[in-house]
Every structure is written in C-alpha cells, then in structure tokens.
Amino acid sequence: HTRIRGVPGGAPWVAGGQGMLVTLHKGKWKRLRTGLDVALMGLWCASPEVVHLCGAKGTLAVTRDAGRTWFVAPPVTGASLFDVLGDGAGSLVAVGMDGVILRSDDGARWEVVRAAAEAPKGTARSALKSLATWQPGCFLAGGDDELLRSDDGGRTWRDVTPPGLVRNITEVCTTASGQWFVGALERIVRSDDQGTTWYVEHELTGTGHRWVYALHVEPDGRGIAVGPHSTGYVRAV
C-alpha cells in the first residue's frame, strides 16, 4: 500500500513500505527519517511544512517542520490505518482495518468514533481504505463494500453505499463542485449530487485482475485512474 500527496506550491510526499517516507527536495528524491519502524500507509499534507502520517498498528504521526522532527500520537487503536485526511478547517480523520474511524482536532490527540468491528468467524476482514473531502466538515470514506459520509467533521457517519453498483471499493475522490467518484472492482462510478444518484463512469474490461488502484479528478473534471498490469485511464472533458 503506497500513497502520494502534496499541496500546491509544495513538494510531493510518498509513504509506503517499512517506515518509508520520501519527498522531492531541490529536484531530487530524499528519504526522511521518521523514527517509525512500521509500514506507513497514508499521508496528508496540510501545508508544505505540516504533514500527517498513518500506518500499521494504529500509528499516527505529524511533522510541523517539513520532516525534520516528528511527533507520534499516543495510540488509541491497534488496527492498521490506511488513510488520513484533514478538511482544511481543523478536523482530521483516519480510517483503517475492520472499519475503524478516528478523528482529531490537532493531529496530536485522537479519539475513536467508530471502533474496529471483529469479522465473524470464517469471513474475510474488511477495511476502510480511502478518504476524501469537498468542503469543511464533510468527509467521504470508502473501502470494500462500504461508503460512508460525515457532515460534522468526522464525529458521526452514515451509510451512503450505492446499492448493487460497487463492490470492493479501493479509492474515493471528490471535487469542490460536489461530484463524487468511487474506484472499485471492475468499474469507476460517479455521483453529481453528493450520492443521491449514481452512474457507471467507466467499466474496466479484459481478463484477469481488474481493480482501480488510484483515482484523482481535478476541479475542471480532468482525471486519471491507475489499474493493474501498468494500465492507466485518463478522464477528458
């Protein structure tokens, strides 16, 4: 699991692997020492200097000086965390294994707002894998067969999964205009009215493995998606 994020005017940051964190510095990729020895799975850049990380074993950390020093938050869950995101107005959310959801107002102290649910014996474990936001206080979380929405900064959540349309969700993406995009097994689906109605945006064809691994759409509607076997898809407008 690898994630790349950045902010306008700042360098891109890449998290993944066993404590791996790299960023672009003066035209060259530089690996940073975080002091963490767990797999890093998600990151969010609040600014070029402020970067939040999440990872295995409930790890949450933040730097406020572009990676020179790191603060590791006291653990509140042992579940692996796959994504972390802020709304730009003070609320932060992290999601992960077994559907766990955490929130914070400062990135230093976190609380569990949805506990990890143990999978029934003989069934596969589920996870929330991706987060998106489109305005202050509003978050979208997706993973496996579940799509959740919060309108109060991550404090409460409601199920907005489009019935029968997606399964095995891997990535969610939103735009400021209110469009939602969901990448999943075999397709990308879209809503133009914040989840009231849904359309199949693109079907992945061919044989074998058909997933959407990464998905991003710009405010003007242009986008890109990445799938298996080095496949890429471009959304033109």
Side-chain angles (χ1 to χ4, degrees):
H1 188 101
T2 302
R3 191 168 293 278
I4 179 169
R5 277 195 174 124
V7 294
W13 294 70
V14 184
Q18 194 66 22
M20 184 188 77
L21 181 67
V22 297
T23 188
L24 199 60
H25 181 69
K26 295 182 178 179
K28 296 182 179 180
W29 288 101
K30 176 183 178 182
R31 183 163 181 168
L32 301 179
R33 297 181 182 274
T34 63
L36 301 170
D37 59 358
V38 299
L40 302 178
M41 302 177 187
L43 63 86
W44 176 63
C45 304
S47 72
E49 293 77 29
V50 181
V51 179
H52 297 263
L53 297 175
C54 69
K57 301 178 182 179
T59 298
L60 288 155
V62 59
T63 179
R64 302 188 186 279
D65 53 17
R68 288 184 288 275
T69 60
W70 291 87
F71 171 79
V72 181
V76 295
T77 180
S80 292
L81 300 172
F82 297 135
D83 201 7
V84 59
L85 187 66
D87 65 354
S91 295
L92 294 98
V93 171
V95 295
M97 185 60 71
D98 300 320
V100 67
I101 302 176
L102 314 179
R103 76 167 305 277
S104 174
D105 291 318
D106 58 10
R109 295 171 297 276
W110 290 80
E111 62 175 330
V112 178
V113 296
R114 188 196 200 206
E118 185 175 346
K121 188 175 181 179
T123 62
R125 298 175 68 184
S126 64
L128 290 171
K129 301 171 182 175
S130 179
L131 284 162
T133 183
W134 63 99
Q135 65 184 35
C138 297
F139 290 91
L140 193 65
D144 291 317
D145 298 335
E146 190 172 39
L147 190 67
L148 304 175
R149 172 178 179 162
S150 174
D151 295 305
D152 57 6
R155 294 172 179 83
T156 60
W157 296 79
R158 57 189 174 95
D159 193 328
V160 291
T161 312
L165 198 59
V166 292
R167 58 192 178 100
N168 295 331
I169 294 170
T170 54
E171 193 82 3
V172 296
C173 176
T174 60
T175 68
S177 64
Q179 282 189 314
W180 294 359
F181 297 85
V182 176
L185 177 65
E186 300 178 344
R187 61 181 51 172
I188 299 169
V189 300
R190 182 188 91 244
S191 174
D192 298 329
D193 50 17
Q194 297 182 11
T196 301
T197 54
W198 291 89
Y199 308 89
V200 176
E201 170 86 1
H202 182 73
E203 291 275 9
L204 278 66
T205 59
T207 59
H209 207 43
R210 298 194 301 277
W211 297 85
V212 175
Y213 290 151
L215 174 65
H216 177 75
V217 180
E218 292 287 333
D220 63 4
R222 294 177 302 143
I224 187 169
V226 179
H229 312 301
S230 302
T231 54
Y233 307 89
V234 175
R235 186 176 194 265
V237 292

